[in-house]
C-alpha cells in the first residue's frame, strides 16, 4: 500500500527553486506571452525637444536638429568710381543749364527759359517712368508730358505769378493718369500700388514749372541763381566724395556714404554764401540760409532715390534702363529744390 501523504509534505509549494518549465509548449495550450527585458539602467539617450510628425503616428525630433544654422549676409554693393563721376558731371551740367537759362528770362522774354525747363521736364519724365515703371507706362508718360506743357504755358501767360494754377494742373494730371490705368484690365490690378509713383512723376514735372513763376517775382532770378547753384554744387561734391571716400556706408545695398551727403550740403551752402556777396539783393547770411535749404533738399532727395532703387532690386524687380536709373537722382534733387527755392524767396526775402 502507498502512504496517504506525499513525501514532500510540509514543504512550501512557492519555494524559490521552481521546477523548470518544459522545453516545448504543453500540449493543448498556447505559449505564454513574451515579456520585455528589464531595464538594466544602461546609457540610453533621452528624447529632448518636440516630436516630429510621422505618417500615421506620433512624431519625434532628433537631437542634432535643435541648433539653427545662421543666415548668410549679402556682400555690400561696390561703389563704382566712373559711374559716380559721370553722375556728378550730369548734375553739374543740369544745374549750369538751369542757372544760365534763368539769366535769359525777362519781362518780355520768358519763352527761352520755358523751353529749357520743358527739356528738363522731358528728361525727368523719361528717367522716372523708366525707373519706377508704373502700370500703363506710356499713358503716364504722355499725360505727364502734357501736364508739363500746360504748366509751363500757365506759368508764362498767367497775369499773376503764383503756384495755384500749377496745383490745378498737377491735380488734373494725376486724375488722368489714374484713369488711364483703370481703363486697361491688365493694369487695373496694380493701380493701387501705382498711385504713389504716378503722383511723384506728375508733381515732379510741375515742380520744375515753379522756376518760371519764380523768375517773374522780385529777386526771383537772383534766387534761382543762388539756390540752384547751391543745389548743383551739393550734388556734384556729394558724388565726387562718394567716388573718392564712400565712408561710412549708410546701407550695404546703397553705394553711398555719409561723408558725401554732409560734404555736399556744406559746400553747397558755402557756394551760396559766396554768391551772396556779388548777387544784388542778397547778403552772405541770406544767401547761405536759402542755399542751405535747397542744397540739403537736393542731396537728401538724391540719397532717397538710391534707397528706392535698392528696395526695388531687393524686392526682385528686374533692373531698368541703365541711364534712366542714374539720371533719376539729380533730376529728382533739382525738381524738389525748385519749389523750395520759391518758398524761401517768397517767405524770407
Amino acid at each position: 500500500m502507498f502512504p496517504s501523504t506525499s513525501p514532500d509534505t510540509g514543504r512550501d509549494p512557492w519555494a524559490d527553486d521552481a521546477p523548470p518549465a518544459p522545453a516545448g509548449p504543453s500540449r493543448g495550450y498556447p505559449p505564454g506571452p513574451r515579456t520585455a527585458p528589464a531595464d538594466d539602467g544602461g546609457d540610453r539617450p533621452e528624447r529632448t525637444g518636440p516630436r516630429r510628425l510621422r505618417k500615421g503616428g506620433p512624431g519625434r525630433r532628433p537631437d542634432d536638429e535643435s541648433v539653427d544654422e545662421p543666415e548668410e549676409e549679402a556682400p555690400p554693393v561696390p561703389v563704382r568710381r566712373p559711374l559716380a563721376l559721370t553722375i556728378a558731371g550730369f548734375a553739374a551740367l543740369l544745374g549750369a543749364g538751369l542757372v544760365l537759362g534763368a539769366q535769359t528770362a525777362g519781362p518780355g522774354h520768358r519763352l527761352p527759359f520755358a523751353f529749357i525747363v520743358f527739356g528738363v521736364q522731358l528728361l525727368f519724365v523719361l528717367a522716372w517712368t523708366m525707373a519706377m515703371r508704373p502700370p500703363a507706362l506710356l499713358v503716364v508718360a504722355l499725360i505727364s508730358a502734357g501736364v508739363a506743357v500746360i504748366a509751363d504755358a500757365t506759368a508764362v501767360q498767367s497775369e499773376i505769378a503764383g503756384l495755384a494754377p500749377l496745383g490745378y494742373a498737377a491735380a488734373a494730371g494725376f486724375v488722368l493718369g489714374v484713369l488711364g490705368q483703370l481703363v486697361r484690365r491688365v493694369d487695373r490690378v496694380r493701380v493701387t500700388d501705382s498711385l504713389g509713383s504716378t503722383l511723384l512723376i506728375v508733381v515732379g514735372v510741375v515742380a520744375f514749372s515753379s522756376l518760371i513763376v519764380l523768375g517773374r517775382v522780385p529777386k526771383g532770378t537772383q534766387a534761382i541763381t543762388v539756390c540752384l547753384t547751391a543745389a548743383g554744387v551739393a550734388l556734384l561734391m556729394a558724388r565726387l566724395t562718394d567716388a573718392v571716400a564712400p565712408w561710412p556706408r549708410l546701407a550695404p545695398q546703397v553705394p553711398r556714404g555719409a561723408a558725401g551727403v554732409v560734404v555736399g550740403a556744406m559746400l553747397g551752402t558755402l557756394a551760396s554764401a559766396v554768391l551772396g556777396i556779388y548777387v544784388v539783393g542778397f547778403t552772405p547770411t541770406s544767401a547761405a540760409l536759402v542755399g542751405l535749404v535747397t542744397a540739403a533738399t537736393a542731396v537728401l532727395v538724391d540719397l532717397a532715390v538710391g534707397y528706392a532703387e535698392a528696395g526695388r532690386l531687393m524686392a526682385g524687380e528686374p533692373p531698368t534702363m541703365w541711364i534712366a536709373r542714374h539720371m533719376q537722382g539729380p533730376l529728382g534733387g533739382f525738381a524738389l529744390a525748385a519749389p523750395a527755392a520759391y518758398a524761401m524767396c517768397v517767405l524770407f526775402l
Side-chain angles (χ1 to χ4, degrees), residues 28-312:
Y29 295 94
R34 296 182 180 180
T35 59
D39 188 5
D40 55 355
D43 297 336
R44 181 179 180 183
E46 297 181 358
R47 294 176 179 174
T48 59
R51 294 176 177 270
R52 182 169 51 190
L53 294 177
R54 292 183 300 175
K55 184 177 180 181
R60 62 183 178 183
R61 177 183 178 183
D63 297 337
D64 55 355
E65 295 182 1
S66 60
V67 180
D68 296 334
E69 296 182 359
E71 298 181 358
E72 297 181 358
E73 296 182 358
V77 177
V79 179
R80 293 179 287 178
R81 292 184 179 180
L83 178 60
L85 295 176
T86 303
I87 299 175
F90 173 72
L93 290 176
L94 185 60
L98 290 173
V99 170
L100 294 177
Q103 302 302 319
T104 64
H109 301 83
R110 300 191 184 100
L111 286 180
F113 186 42
F115 282 122
I116 294 175
V117 171
F118 180 69
V120 176
Q121 288 171 325
L122 290 182
L123 289 177
F124 181 88
V125 171
L126 172 65
W128 279 69
T129 52
M130 293 301 298
M132 303 189 73
R133 289 187 175 275
L137 186 147
L138 184 59
V139 174
V140 174
L142 292 177
I143 291 176
S144 300
V147 170
V149 174
I150 297 173
D152 294 345
T154 304
V156 171
Q157 297 179 358
S158 60
E159 296 181 0
I160 300 175
L163 297 181
L166 303 184
Y168 299 147
F174 174 70
V175 172
L176 290 177
V178 174
L179 291 178
Q181 298 171 19
L182 289 175
V183 171
R184 300 178 58 187
R185 182 177 300 178
V186 178
D187 302 325
R188 197 179 304 165
V189 180
R190 297 178 51 201
V191 68
T192 304
D193 301 333
S194 68
L195 291 178
S197 59
T198 305
L199 181 62
L200 284 176
I201 295 171
V202 174
V203 171
V205 166
V206 175
F208 279 107
S209 301
S210 64
L211 293 175
I212 304 175
V213 179
L214 182 58
R216 298 178 56 185
V217 302
K219 299 182 182 180
T221 303
Q222 294 87 340
I224 292 175
T225 302
V226 173
C227 294
L228 294 190
T229 300
V233 171
L235 292 173
L236 171 65
M237 298 309 299
R239 292 291 183 168
L240 289 180
T241 306
D242 288 337
V244 177
W247 183 87
R249 291 290 293 271
L250 296 173
Q253 296 82 13
V254 182
R256 301 293 303 274
V261 177
V262 176
V263 171
M266 293 176 62
L267 292 181
T269 305
L270 178 61
S272 63
V274 172
L275 281 178
I277 303 174
Y278 305 101
V279 176
V280 178
F282 280 87
T283 62
T285 303
S286 61
L289 177 63
V290 298
L292 173 62
V293 174
T294 52
T297 300
V299 171
L300 291 179
V301 171
D302 187 20
L303 180 63
V305 168
Y307 273 92
E309 179 64 23
R312 287 192 292 268

